[in-house]
Amino acid sequence: MSSIRAVRGVRDILPSEARRWQRVEAAARQTFEAYGYDEIRLPLFERTELFARGIGDETDIVKKEMYSFDDRSGESLTLRPEATASLMRAYIEHGLQVLPKPIKLYTMGPMFRYERPQAGRYRQFHQLDVEALGEPHPALDAEVIAMLLDFFGGLGLADRLELHVNSIGDPRTRSAYTALLVAYLEPLKAQLCGQCRERLARNPLRVLDCKVPECQPVIERAPSILDSLPPEAREHFETVRAGLDAMAIAYTVDPRLVRGLDYYVRTTFELKTKDLGAQDAVAGGGRYDGLIKQLGGPPDPGIGFAVGIERVVLLLAQAEDSAFVQRGPRVALIPLGEAALRRLLPVARSARRQGLSLELGYGARKLPRELERANRLGVRWAVIVGDNELAKDEAVLREMVSGEQRRLPLGRLVDELRTLGQAPAHGEEGR
Ligand code: ATP
Ligand code: MG
Protein backbone atom coordinates (compact mmCIF):
# COMPACT_ATOMS: atom_id res chain seq x y z
CA MET A 1 0.00 0.00 0.00
CA SER A 2 1.27 3.49 -0.78
CA SER A 3 1.64 5.88 2.15
CA ILE A 4 -0.30 9.12 2.42
CA ARG A 5 1.67 12.34 2.16
CA ALA A 6 0.91 15.85 3.39
CA VAL A 7 -1.11 18.16 1.12
CA ARG A 8 0.88 20.37 -1.28
CA GLY A 9 2.01 23.63 0.28
CA VAL A 10 1.44 22.37 3.82
CA ARG A 11 4.28 21.28 6.06
CA ASP A 12 5.11 19.60 9.32
CA ILE A 13 7.21 21.48 11.81
CA LEU A 14 9.53 18.82 13.16
CA PRO A 15 10.96 18.98 16.70
CA SER A 16 14.34 20.41 15.68
CA GLU A 17 12.56 23.33 14.01
CA ALA A 18 9.85 23.66 16.64
CA ARG A 19 12.47 24.99 19.08
CA ARG A 20 12.92 27.99 16.83
CA TRP A 21 9.16 28.50 16.63
CA GLN A 22 9.01 28.53 20.42
CA ARG A 23 11.73 31.15 20.51
CA VAL A 24 9.83 33.32 18.03
CA GLU A 25 6.57 32.97 19.92
CA ALA A 26 8.19 33.68 23.28
CA ALA A 27 9.96 36.78 21.92
CA ALA A 28 6.65 37.98 20.46
CA ARG A 29 4.74 37.58 23.72
CA GLN A 30 7.48 39.28 25.67
CA THR A 31 7.70 42.31 23.38
CA PHE A 32 3.96 42.70 22.79
CA GLU A 33 3.16 42.47 26.48
CA ALA A 34 5.80 45.08 27.28
CA TYR A 35 3.81 47.42 25.02
CA GLY A 36 0.55 46.54 26.79
CA TYR A 37 -0.97 44.13 24.26
CA ASP A 38 -3.26 41.27 25.33
CA GLU A 39 -3.71 37.99 23.54
CA ILE A 40 -6.95 37.13 21.75
CA ARG A 41 -7.55 33.68 20.22
CA LEU A 42 -9.74 33.48 17.17
CA PRO A 43 -11.40 30.70 15.14
CA LEU A 44 -9.64 29.35 12.06
CA PHE A 45 -12.72 29.70 9.85
CA GLU A 46 -15.36 32.35 9.36
CA ARG A 47 -18.26 33.12 7.06
CA THR A 48 -16.85 33.74 3.56
CA GLU A 49 -18.65 37.08 3.45
CA LEU A 50 -16.43 38.48 6.22
CA PHE A 51 -13.31 38.25 4.08
CA ALA A 52 -15.03 39.34 0.87
CA ARG A 53 -16.24 42.48 2.64
CA GLY A 54 -13.17 43.05 4.79
CA ILE A 55 -10.23 42.37 2.50
CA GLY A 56 -11.77 43.57 -0.77
CA ASP A 57 -13.22 41.77 -3.80
CA GLU A 58 -10.43 42.81 -6.14
CA THR A 59 -7.52 41.62 -4.00
CA ASP A 60 -5.54 38.51 -4.98
CA ILE A 61 -6.51 36.94 -1.68
CA VAL A 62 -10.26 37.14 -2.23
CA LYS A 63 -10.17 36.61 -5.99
CA LYS A 64 -8.09 33.46 -6.14
CA GLU A 65 -6.49 32.41 -2.89
CA MET A 66 -9.27 31.55 -0.44
CA TYR A 67 -10.01 28.07 0.82
CA SER A 68 -13.80 28.30 0.76
CA PHE A 69 -16.24 25.45 1.17
CA ASP A 70 -19.90 24.85 1.88
CA ASP A 71 -20.46 23.09 5.18
CA ARG A 72 -23.15 20.46 5.65
CA SER A 73 -25.85 23.06 6.11
CA GLY A 74 -24.89 24.77 2.86
CA GLU A 75 -23.27 27.81 4.45
CA SER A 76 -20.17 29.18 2.71
CA LEU A 77 -17.20 29.19 5.08
CA THR A 78 -13.57 30.12 4.51
CA LEU A 79 -10.35 29.15 6.24
CA ARG A 80 -8.97 32.51 7.32
CA PRO A 81 -6.37 33.93 4.91
CA GLU A 82 -5.36 36.58 7.49
CA ALA A 83 -6.38 37.54 11.00
CA THR A 84 -7.37 41.21 10.87
CA ALA A 85 -10.89 40.69 9.51
CA SER A 86 -11.60 37.98 12.12
CA LEU A 87 -10.27 40.19 14.87
CA MET A 88 -12.51 43.07 13.76
CA ARG A 89 -15.46 40.68 13.68
CA ALA A 90 -14.70 39.66 17.27
CA TYR A 91 -14.20 43.30 18.32
CA ILE A 92 -17.64 44.21 17.00
CA GLU A 93 -19.37 41.05 18.20
CA HIS A 94 -18.15 41.41 21.79
CA GLY A 95 -18.46 45.19 22.00
CA LEU A 96 -14.76 45.57 22.84
CA GLN A 97 -14.94 49.28 21.97
CA VAL A 98 -16.05 49.98 25.56
CA LEU A 99 -12.54 49.10 26.78
CA PRO A 100 -10.04 51.95 27.35
CA LYS A 101 -8.54 52.99 24.02
CA PRO A 102 -6.38 52.14 22.25
CA ILE A 103 -7.45 48.52 22.64
CA LYS A 104 -4.27 46.55 22.02
CA LEU A 105 -4.54 42.92 20.93
CA TYR A 106 -2.34 40.24 19.43
CA THR A 107 -2.91 36.75 18.13
CA MET A 108 -0.89 34.06 16.37
CA GLY A 109 -1.61 30.96 14.34
CA PRO A 110 -2.12 29.41 10.92
CA MET A 111 -3.49 31.24 7.86
CA PHE A 112 -4.55 29.63 4.60
CA ARG A 113 -4.02 30.86 1.05
CA TYR A 114 -4.12 28.92 -2.19
CA GLU A 115 -0.79 30.17 -3.57
CA ARG A 116 2.00 28.63 -5.59
CA PRO A 117 4.15 26.90 -2.95
CA GLN A 118 7.89 27.68 -2.86
CA ALA A 119 10.53 28.39 -0.23
CA GLY A 120 8.98 30.84 2.23
CA ARG A 121 5.52 30.59 0.62
CA TYR A 122 3.04 27.97 1.72
CA ARG A 123 -0.68 27.25 1.62
CA GLN A 124 -0.88 26.87 5.36
CA PHE A 125 1.46 29.40 6.91
CA HIS A 126 1.59 31.20 10.23
CA GLN A 127 1.42 34.78 11.33
CA LEU A 128 1.84 36.88 14.40
CA ASP A 129 -0.87 39.49 14.19
CA VAL A 130 -1.09 42.69 16.18
CA GLU A 131 -3.85 45.33 16.18
CA ALA A 132 -4.35 48.59 18.09
CA LEU A 133 -7.90 49.93 17.88
CA GLY A 134 -9.70 53.18 18.63
CA GLU A 135 -6.81 55.65 18.49
CA PRO A 136 -6.19 57.89 15.47
CA HIS A 137 -3.02 59.60 16.75
CA PRO A 138 -0.01 59.16 14.44
CA ALA A 139 2.26 58.57 17.45
CA LEU A 140 0.53 55.20 17.74
CA ASP A 141 1.67 54.34 14.20
CA ALA A 142 5.28 55.09 15.16
CA GLU A 143 4.91 53.13 18.39
CA VAL A 144 3.49 50.08 16.59
CA ILE A 145 6.39 50.13 14.12
CA ALA A 146 8.88 50.45 16.99
CA MET A 147 7.31 47.42 18.67
CA LEU A 148 7.63 45.41 15.46
CA LEU A 149 11.33 46.28 15.27
CA ASP A 150 11.85 45.52 18.96
CA PHE A 151 10.39 42.06 18.44
CA PHE A 152 13.02 41.41 15.75
CA GLY A 153 15.67 43.01 17.93
CA GLY A 154 14.82 40.51 20.68
CA LEU A 155 15.64 37.71 18.24
CA GLY A 156 18.91 39.32 17.17
CA LEU A 157 17.55 39.90 13.65
CA ALA A 158 17.17 43.69 13.59
CA ASP A 159 20.15 44.34 11.31
CA ARG A 160 18.84 41.97 8.63
CA LEU A 161 15.73 44.00 7.99
CA GLU A 162 14.85 47.19 6.18
CA LEU A 163 11.82 49.25 7.11
CA HIS A 164 9.78 50.70 4.26
CA VAL A 165 7.00 53.19 4.98
CA ASN A 166 4.43 55.04 2.93
CA SER A 167 1.16 56.88 3.20
CA ILE A 168 -1.66 56.08 0.81
CA GLY A 169 -4.00 58.87 1.92
CA ASP A 170 -7.69 58.52 2.68
CA PRO A 171 -10.20 56.62 0.53
CA ARG A 172 -12.21 59.69 -0.42
CA THR A 173 -9.26 61.83 -1.39
CA ARG A 174 -7.45 58.92 -3.01
CA SER A 175 -9.58 59.36 -6.12
CA ALA A 176 -7.39 62.30 -7.21
CA TYR A 177 -4.36 60.05 -7.25
CA THR A 178 -6.25 57.20 -8.85
CA ALA A 179 -7.16 59.50 -11.76
CA LEU A 180 -3.47 60.43 -12.18
CA LEU A 181 -2.44 56.81 -12.02
CA VAL A 182 -4.98 55.72 -14.61
CA ALA A 183 -3.93 58.56 -16.92
CA TYR A 184 -0.33 57.36 -16.58
CA LEU A 185 -1.07 53.65 -16.98
CA GLU A 186 -3.63 53.75 -19.77
CA PRO A 187 -1.12 54.48 -22.60
CA LEU A 188 1.25 51.83 -21.20
CA LYS A 189 -1.44 49.19 -20.94
CA ALA A 190 0.21 46.93 -23.51
CA GLN A 191 3.28 46.58 -21.25
CA LEU A 192 1.25 45.30 -18.27
CA CYS A 193 0.34 41.72 -17.37
CA GLY A 194 -3.19 40.53 -18.07
CA GLN A 195 -4.22 40.84 -14.49
CA CYS A 196 -2.98 44.42 -14.21
CA ARG A 197 -4.98 45.35 -17.30
CA GLU A 198 -8.02 44.06 -15.43
CA ARG A 199 -7.01 45.88 -12.25
CA LEU A 200 -6.66 49.08 -14.22
CA ALA A 201 -10.37 48.99 -14.94
CA ARG A 202 -11.57 47.89 -11.51
CA ASN A 203 -9.05 48.83 -8.78
CA PRO A 204 -6.10 50.70 -10.31
CA LEU A 205 -4.19 51.12 -7.03
CA ARG A 206 -3.74 47.34 -6.95
CA VAL A 207 -1.43 47.61 -9.99
CA LEU A 208 1.24 49.07 -7.68
CA ASP A 209 1.21 45.84 -5.66
CA CYS A 210 1.77 43.57 -8.69
CA LYS A 211 4.74 41.19 -8.35
CA VAL A 212 5.03 40.26 -12.06
CA PRO A 213 8.52 41.28 -13.32
CA GLU A 214 7.31 42.72 -16.66
CA CYS A 215 5.10 45.23 -14.76
CA GLN A 216 7.90 46.55 -12.54
CA PRO A 217 9.43 49.15 -14.94
CA VAL A 218 5.98 50.67 -15.45
CA ILE A 219 5.23 50.64 -11.70
CA GLU A 220 8.58 52.24 -10.85
CA ARG A 221 7.89 55.29 -13.00
CA ALA A 222 4.30 55.75 -11.82
CA PRO A 223 3.42 59.10 -10.20
CA SER A 224 4.03 59.18 -6.46
CA ILE A 225 0.97 58.96 -4.26
CA LEU A 226 2.77 61.21 -1.77
CA ASP A 227 2.34 64.16 -4.14
CA SER A 228 -1.43 63.72 -3.99
CA LEU A 229 -1.90 63.45 -0.24
CA PRO A 230 -4.54 65.75 1.24
CA PRO A 231 -3.20 68.07 3.99
CA GLU A 232 -4.46 65.98 6.95
CA ALA A 233 -2.94 62.77 5.58
CA ARG A 234 0.29 64.60 4.81
CA GLU A 235 0.47 65.96 8.35
CA HIS A 236 -0.31 62.54 9.78
CA PHE A 237 2.53 61.00 7.80
CA GLU A 238 4.94 63.73 8.86
CA THR A 239 4.12 63.10 12.52
CA VAL A 240 4.66 59.36 12.06
CA ARG A 241 8.05 60.07 10.51
CA ALA A 242 8.95 62.53 13.26
CA GLY A 243 8.12 59.81 15.82
CA LEU A 244 10.35 57.31 14.03
CA ASP A 245 13.12 59.89 13.80
CA ALA A 246 12.81 60.65 17.51
CA MET A 247 13.42 56.94 18.22
CA ALA A 248 16.33 56.88 15.74
CA ILE A 249 14.54 54.31 13.59
CA ALA A 250 15.89 54.20 10.04
CA TYR A 251 13.44 53.76 7.15
CA THR A 252 12.98 54.21 3.45
CA VAL A 253 9.94 56.03 2.11
CA ASP A 254 8.49 53.89 -0.68
CA PRO A 255 5.60 55.64 -2.48
CA ARG A 256 4.59 52.37 -4.27
CA LEU A 257 3.93 50.49 -1.03
CA VAL A 258 0.15 49.99 -1.09
CA ARG A 259 0.05 46.46 0.44
CA GLY A 260 -2.08 43.56 -0.74
CA LEU A 261 -5.34 44.32 1.06
CA ASP A 262 -7.92 46.98 0.25
CA TYR A 263 -8.57 48.18 3.78
CA TYR A 264 -5.42 50.23 4.30
CA VAL A 265 -5.47 54.04 4.60
CA ARG A 266 -2.72 56.51 5.45
CA THR A 267 0.30 54.72 6.95
CA THR A 268 1.51 51.49 5.36
CA PHE A 269 4.78 49.74 6.17
CA GLU A 270 6.74 46.62 5.43
CA LEU A 271 9.89 44.94 6.73
CA LYS A 272 12.02 43.48 3.98
CA THR A 273 15.11 41.33 4.01
CA LYS A 274 17.77 40.64 1.41
CA ASP A 275 18.36 37.16 2.82
CA LEU A 276 15.32 35.22 1.61
CA GLY A 277 15.38 35.64 -2.17
CA ALA A 278 12.08 36.49 -3.81
CA GLN A 279 10.08 36.14 -0.59
CA ASP A 280 11.54 39.34 0.81
CA ALA A 281 8.60 40.60 2.92
CA VAL A 282 8.86 39.43 6.50
CA ALA A 283 6.15 41.63 7.98
CA GLY A 284 3.68 44.21 6.79
CA GLY A 285 0.94 46.41 8.10
CA GLY A 286 -0.76 49.73 8.18
CA ARG A 287 -3.74 51.80 9.24
CA TYR A 288 -7.28 50.74 8.39
CA ASP A 289 -9.45 53.48 9.86
CA GLY A 290 -12.65 52.63 7.96
CA LEU A 291 -12.61 48.86 8.28
CA ILE A 292 -14.51 48.39 11.54
CA LYS A 293 -17.36 50.58 10.32
CA GLN A 294 -17.39 48.83 6.95
CA LEU A 295 -17.90 45.54 8.80
CA GLY A 296 -20.90 46.94 10.66
CA GLY A 297 -19.16 48.22 13.81
CA PRO A 298 -18.43 51.62 15.33
CA PRO A 299 -16.33 54.13 13.33
CA ASP A 300 -13.19 53.25 15.28
CA PRO A 301 -9.78 53.61 13.64
CA GLY A 302 -7.21 50.83 13.73
CA ILE A 303 -3.64 49.99 12.90
CA GLY A 304 -1.82 46.68 12.87
CA PHE A 305 0.69 44.38 11.27
CA ALA A 306 1.27 40.72 10.48
CA VAL A 307 4.59 38.89 10.67
CA GLY A 308 5.19 35.76 8.58
CA ILE A 309 6.57 33.28 11.12
CA GLU A 310 8.01 30.84 8.54
CA ARG A 311 10.19 33.61 7.15
CA VAL A 312 11.35 34.66 10.62
CA VAL A 313 12.26 31.05 11.38
CA LEU A 314 14.23 30.87 8.11
CA LEU A 315 16.15 34.00 9.11
CA LEU A 316 16.80 32.59 12.56
CA ALA A 317 18.15 29.36 11.12
CA GLN A 318 20.57 31.38 8.97
CA ALA A 319 21.64 33.50 11.93
CA GLU A 320 22.30 30.64 14.32
CA ASP A 321 25.92 29.71 14.70
CA SER A 322 26.88 26.07 14.27
CA ALA A 323 27.67 25.79 17.98
CA PHE A 324 23.95 25.97 18.67
CA VAL A 325 23.08 23.20 21.09
CA GLN A 326 19.61 21.72 21.12
CA ARG A 327 18.17 22.07 24.58
CA GLY A 328 17.24 18.43 25.19
CA PRO A 329 17.34 16.59 28.50
CA ARG A 330 20.43 17.38 30.54
CA VAL A 331 20.48 14.27 32.68
CA ALA A 332 20.05 10.56 31.95
CA LEU A 333 19.14 8.23 34.83
CA ILE A 334 20.45 4.78 33.99
CA PRO A 335 19.23 1.92 36.17
CA LEU A 336 20.92 -1.41 35.48
CA GLY A 337 18.21 -4.01 36.15
CA GLU A 338 14.68 -4.18 37.55
CA ALA A 339 15.49 -3.39 41.17
CA ALA A 340 17.50 -0.28 40.28
CA LEU A 341 14.67 0.84 38.00
CA ARG A 342 12.16 0.59 40.86
CA ARG A 343 14.47 2.65 43.06
CA LEU A 344 14.93 5.33 40.36
CA LEU A 345 11.30 5.64 39.22
CA PRO A 346 10.28 7.84 42.21
CA VAL A 347 13.61 9.73 42.06
CA ALA A 348 13.00 10.62 38.40
CA ARG A 349 9.46 11.69 39.13
CA SER A 350 10.48 13.91 42.01
CA ALA A 351 13.26 15.53 39.94
CA ARG A 352 10.90 16.18 37.04
CA ARG A 353 8.29 17.67 39.35
CA GLN A 354 10.97 20.12 40.43
CA GLY A 355 11.44 21.16 36.82
CA LEU A 356 14.52 19.13 35.86
CA SER A 357 14.52 17.70 32.36
CA LEU A 358 15.74 14.12 32.42
CA GLU A 359 15.70 10.84 30.59
CA LEU A 360 15.07 7.55 32.39
CA GLY A 361 16.34 4.20 31.11
CA TYR A 362 14.20 1.14 31.78
CA GLY A 363 16.87 -1.13 33.14
CA ALA A 364 16.87 -3.62 30.29
CA ARG A 365 19.86 -2.42 28.23
CA LYS A 366 23.55 -2.83 28.93
CA LEU A 367 25.51 0.19 30.19
CA PRO A 368 27.46 0.90 26.96
CA ARG A 369 24.21 1.05 24.98
CA GLU A 370 22.67 3.39 27.54
CA LEU A 371 25.73 5.68 27.50
CA GLU A 372 25.70 5.74 23.72
CA ARG A 373 22.05 6.78 23.77
CA ALA A 374 22.76 9.48 26.37
CA ASN A 375 25.56 10.77 24.15
CA ARG A 376 23.32 11.00 21.11
CA LEU A 377 20.73 12.91 23.13
CA GLY A 378 23.43 15.41 24.09
CA VAL A 379 22.92 14.69 27.78
CA ARG A 380 25.41 16.36 30.12
CA TRP A 381 25.31 14.03 33.12
CA ALA A 382 24.52 10.34 33.48
CA VAL A 383 23.42 8.85 36.78
CA ILE A 384 24.18 5.13 36.92
CA VAL A 385 22.71 2.76 39.50
CA GLY A 386 23.66 -0.94 39.38
CA ASP A 387 23.40 -3.67 42.04
CA ASN A 388 26.54 -2.46 43.89
CA GLU A 389 25.27 1.08 44.13
CA LEU A 390 21.80 -0.10 45.09
CA ALA A 391 23.20 -2.08 48.01
CA LYS A 392 24.72 1.13 49.41
CA ASP A 393 21.82 3.36 48.27
CA GLU A 394 24.27 5.32 46.13
CA ALA A 395 24.58 6.46 42.53
CA VAL A 396 27.49 7.10 40.18
CA LEU A 397 27.38 10.59 38.68
CA ARG A 398 29.26 10.78 35.42
CA GLU A 399 30.02 13.89 33.43
CA MET A 400 29.54 12.78 29.85
CA VAL A 401 32.10 14.99 28.12
CA SER A 402 35.04 14.41 30.48
CA GLY A 403 34.03 10.91 31.64
CA GLU A 404 34.76 11.98 35.23
CA GLN A 405 32.79 10.02 37.81
CA ARG A 406 31.97 10.33 41.49
CA ARG A 407 29.65 8.64 43.96
CA LEU A 408 26.92 10.24 45.99
CA PRO A 409 24.02 9.06 48.21
CA LEU A 410 20.77 8.59 46.26
CA GLY A 411 18.99 10.68 48.88
CA ARG A 412 21.03 13.71 47.81
CA LEU A 413 20.77 13.13 44.08
CA VAL A 414 17.90 15.48 43.23
CA ASP A 415 19.43 18.38 45.15
CA GLU A 416 22.78 17.77 43.49
CA LEU A 417 21.20 17.67 40.02
CA ARG A 418 19.36 20.88 40.75
CA THR A 419 22.62 22.61 41.63
CA LEU A 420 24.36 21.21 38.55
CA GLY A 421 21.34 22.14 36.42
CA GLN A 422 21.93 25.78 37.14
CA ALA A 423 25.34 25.74 35.42
CA PRO A 424 25.18 26.45 31.68
CA ALA A 425 26.22 23.68 29.31
CA HIS A 426 28.82 24.14 26.58
CA GLY A 427 27.60 26.43 23.83
CA GLU A 428 24.51 27.34 25.80
CA GLU A 429 25.81 30.48 27.43
CA GLY A 430 23.54 33.45 27.02
CA ARG A 431 20.69 31.62 25.34
P1 ATP B 1 3.87 38.64 -0.09
O1 ATP B 1 4.18 39.95 -0.69
O2 ATP B 1 5.11 37.85 0.28
O3 ATP B 1 2.86 37.85 -0.84
P2 ATP B 1 1.71 39.66 1.47
O4 ATP B 1 1.75 41.10 1.17
O5 ATP B 1 0.71 38.80 0.79
O6 ATP B 1 3.17 39.01 1.31
P3 ATP B 1 0.52 39.88 4.07
O7 ATP B 1 -0.81 39.41 3.65
O8 ATP B 1 0.67 41.30 4.42
O9 ATP B 1 1.61 39.45 3.02
O10 ATP B 1 1.05 38.99 5.28
C1 ATP B 1 2.10 39.42 6.15
C2 ATP B 1 3.28 38.48 6.09
O11 ATP B 1 2.87 37.12 6.07
C3 ATP B 1 4.13 38.63 4.86
O12 ATP B 1 5.01 39.70 4.99
C4 ATP B 1 4.85 37.30 4.81
O13 ATP B 1 5.97 37.31 5.66
C5 ATP B 1 3.82 36.35 5.36
N1 ATP B 1 3.16 35.58 4.28
C6 ATP B 1 2.19 36.00 3.44
N2 ATP B 1 1.81 35.02 2.63
C7 ATP B 1 2.56 33.92 2.95
C8 ATP B 1 2.62 32.57 2.47
N3 ATP B 1 1.82 32.13 1.51
N4 ATP B 1 3.52 31.73 3.06
C9 ATP B 1 4.32 32.16 4.05
N5 ATP B 1 4.30 33.41 4.55
C10 ATP B 1 3.42 34.28 4.01
MG1 MG C 1 0.76 37.66 -0.95
Side-chain angles (χ1 to χ4, degrees), residues 233-312:
R234 184 183 304 275
E235 199 184 311
H236 185 99
F237 191 43
E238 272 160 20
T239 313
V240 175
R241 294 182 57 174
L244 295 176
D245 293 339
M247 291 183 277
I249 292 172
Y251 55 86
T252 305
V253 175
D254 176 358
R256 322 287 171 233
L257 183 64
V258 295
R259 313 272 309 115
L261 306 97
D262 272 356
Y263 50 60
Y264 288 117
V265 297
R266 298 195 170 187
T267 315
T268 57
F269 54 94
E270 208 159 81
L271 279 185
K272 297 191 186 202
T273 176
K274 292 196 166 67
D275 301 333
L276 293 180
Q279 270 49 257
D280 64 348
V282 180
R287 240 185 206 283
Y288 46 83
D289 292 351
L291 179 62
I292 300 174
K293 186 152 182 267
Q294 187 184 318
L295 291 172
D300 290 350
I303 177 167
F305 62 75
V307 179
I309 304 184
E310 277 80 0
R311 296 182 194 179
V312 180

Side-chain angles (χ1 to χ4, degrees), residues 56-60 62-64 174-175 178-179 181-182 185-186 189 192 194-208 262:
D57 287 332
E58 286 305 311
T59 58
D60 283 355
V62 171
K63 270 196 106 149
K64 51 184 197 193
R174 206 145 61 201
S175 53
T178 308
L181 184 64
V182 171
L185 290 173
E186 201 60 54
K189 213 170 159 174
L192 294 174
Q195 217 192 336
C196 276
R197 289 201 289 266
E198 243 173 71
R199 288 172 177 139
L200 189 50
R202 287 201 282 204
N203 190 345
L205 213 56
R206 290 256 67 80
V207 173
L208 298 182
D262 272 356

Side-chain angles (χ1 to χ4, degrees), residues 56 58 74 91 96 106 114 130 237 249 274 309 402:
E58 286 305 311
Y91 178 82
L96 298 183
Y106 74 90
Y114 191 80
V130 172
F237 191 43
I249 292 172
K274 292 196 166 67
I309 304 184
S402 64

